[in-house]
Amino acid sequence: MITLIAGGTGSVKLARGLSKATEDLVIVSNIADNIWLHGLYVCPDIDTVVYGLSGLLDKTRGWGVINDSFVFMEQMKRLGQDYWFRIGDKDLALHVVRTHFLNEGKSLSWVTEWIRKKLSISTVILPASNDHFETRIETPVGEMHIQEYWVKNHAQLNILSIRYQGIEKAVPSPQALHAIRNSDMIIIAPGNPISSIGPITSIPSIRKELESKKKKVIAVSPIIGNQALSGPASKYLLAMGIESSPVGIASHYSNIASNLVISESDKDYENRIQNYGVNVYKTNIIMENEQDEIRLSDYILKTFNNA
Ligand code: FO1
């Protein structure tokens, strides 16, 4: 079994490539960007993987359904409701169905598995936890949900601190913990280390598991030079006092991953990364199309299957 720890738009490209390259893959998805809106439970990171693997993802936006319309949102605006988080009409159906099942007492894992089967996705997708906990960002104007920070305020406010509210009481979903425990290879996707990967790897029993098998854990850097491949990763890393570079990624992951895949152009960082006890692998980590996704996936599988 191979586990991909994933979350957000930065992870879905590798999820797609790996799912084509191997049938042994399971994906453990972030849930700390989940949010209740208009009485619906929205799970953006799970849905990005669901849409990515079913061919429904709007690849330009990196979220939501391709060719979706926003009539529901326009009507909500007319009714004086919040409309900063744009739920597409087709996307809406997924949130309605999921919320219906959750209200019936089903777990998020159960619902995600139901959705996977309905959309004929072969790769198993596991929420990191069935419990709700959320990433909160403290700013000079107050603390807010990560979606409020990123989408409503366009990541413009200064960050004073970031925390995962409720994680202390959260337990991993049994399937996610089982996958990590029984995998021969665990890949940390090039997602945002703080908002996408951190909420998964900070669940105490998942962290303990990763620490004990860190030789089998391979992280792919979400940073080239000092720039994030996508999204606000640099801003969040710097806010947490972590260098925005592959060296910062190595220091941040060194307790849970012995291997880091970086861009060939970052070879000058190699010695500093190795000082953290992390092995360095250099390749082209940019994924601009399907070919790139398969190329990087094959590289990882070949390199570490033979390790
Ligand atoms: N991102 C935006 O920048 N603006 C939006 O209006 C927005 C709506 C949205 C709806 C459903 C969904 O699954 C994702 C959505 N996202 C939107 C993306 C989301 O904020 C982020 O990609 C993830 O939360 C990052 O982990």
Side-chain angles (χ1 to χ4, degrees):
M1 199 183 332
I2 297 170
T3 295
L4 178 70
I5 294 180
T9 51
S11 302
V12 69
K13 296 174 180 182
L14 190 60
R16 240 179 348 230
L18 285 169
S19 71
K20 285 175 192 147
T22 174
E23 288 173 0
D24 299 333
L25 185 70
V26 298
I27 298 174
V28 173
S29 172
N30 178 37
I31 53 106
D33 66 337
N34 293 358
I35 186 165
W36 282 96
L37 285 167
H38 317 299
L40 301 171
Y41 198 52
V42 182
C43 303
D45 280 0
I46 292 177
D47 293 351
T48 298
V49 172
V50 161
Y51 293 143
L53 297 191
S54 58
L56 293 174
L57 183 69
D58 184 315
K59 289 188 185 175
T60 312
R61 281 199 306 258
W63 52 267
V65 178
I66 191 163
N67 294 329
D68 212 347
S69 50
F70 291 87
V71 177
F72 163 72
M73 235 41 263
E74 284 161 24
Q75 195 63 8
M76 290 299 273
K77 184 177 173 187
R78 216 165 279 148
L79 293 172
Q81 302 301 300
D82 272 347
Y83 58 93
W84 54 267
F85 196 83
R86 297 178 67 234
I87 297 173
D89 299 328
K90 291 179 185 166
D91 189 25
L92 176 64
L94 196 62
H95 312 312
V96 170
V97 172
R98 174 165 42 224
T99 308
H100 164 74
F101 282 135
L102 292 174
N103 286 341
E104 273 188 348
K106 303 281 196 302
S107 70
L108 188 59
S109 301
W110 187 96
V111 182
T112 308
E113 180 63 6
W114 185 92
I115 293 168
R116 174 183 87 83
K117 286 186 179 146
K118 271 282 169 223
L119 295 180
S120 305
I121 299 166
S122 54
T123 302
V124 171
I125 303 163
L126 305 169
S129 176
N130 288 317
D131 300 324
H132 178 88
F133 67 91
E134 62 189 46
T135 303
R136 309 271 310 171
I137 301 202
E138 190 197 352
T139 77
V141 299
E143 199 191 55
M144 57 192 78
H145 190 286
I146 185 156
Q147 298 294 356
E148 216 176 326
Y149 180 81
W150 168 240
V151 179
K152 188 177 183 184
N153 289 291
H154 312 289
Q156 293 296 313
L157 298 163
N158 284 338
I159 299 176
L160 301 178
S161 67
I162 304 178
R163 68 187 180 113
Y164 310 130
Q165 184 182 39
I167 196 169
E168 326 75 54
K169 292 197 195 113
V171 292
S173 69
Q175 297 91 335
L177 189 61
H178 179 267
I180 291 170
R181 194 167 276 161
N182 292 289
S183 282
D184 309 310
M185 192 189 291
I186 298 155
I187 303 165
I188 299 180
N192 190 316
I194 309 301
S195 60
S196 299
I197 306 298
I200 306 173
T201 58
S202 301
I203 297 175
S205 47
I206 289 189
R207 187 158 195 91
K208 215 169 129 209
E209 204 60 48
L210 292 172
E211 282 170 354
S212 74
K213 56 191 305 183
K214 69 174 184 173
K215 287 199 166 63
K216 294 186 175 178
V217 183
I218 303 132
V220 181
S221 178
I223 306 278
I224 297 183
N226 51 25
Q227 298 290 319
L229 284 164
S230 67
S234 280
K235 187 164 185 172
Y236 294 176
L237 283 167
L238 293 171
M240 298 292 280
I242 302 162
E243 183 179 314
S244 173
S245 79
V247 179
I249 299 299
S251 73
H252 184 60
Y253 286 149
S254 60
N255 288 334
I256 56 168
S258 295
N259 309 285
L260 181 65
V261 181
I262 65 169
S263 167
E264 285 155 338
S265 57
D266 280 339
K267 57 183 183 317
D268 291 349
Y269 289 121
E270 193 162 351
N271 289 343
R272 286 184 60 207
I273 294 172
Q274 284 164 343
N275 286 342
Y276 286 99
V278 174
N279 304 317
V280 181
Y281 298 85
K282 300 175 292 273
T283 190
N284 177 5
I285 58 171
I286 295 175
M287 291 175 280
E288 282 175 342
N289 51 43
E290 188 184 357
Q291 229 179 337
D292 289 339
E293 293 169 7
I294 293 172
R295 175 189 41 73
L296 182 56
S297 300
D298 283 346
Y299 171 85
I300 294 169
L301 295 177
K302 283 198 189 101
T303 305
F304 296 98
N305 268 332
N306 298 329

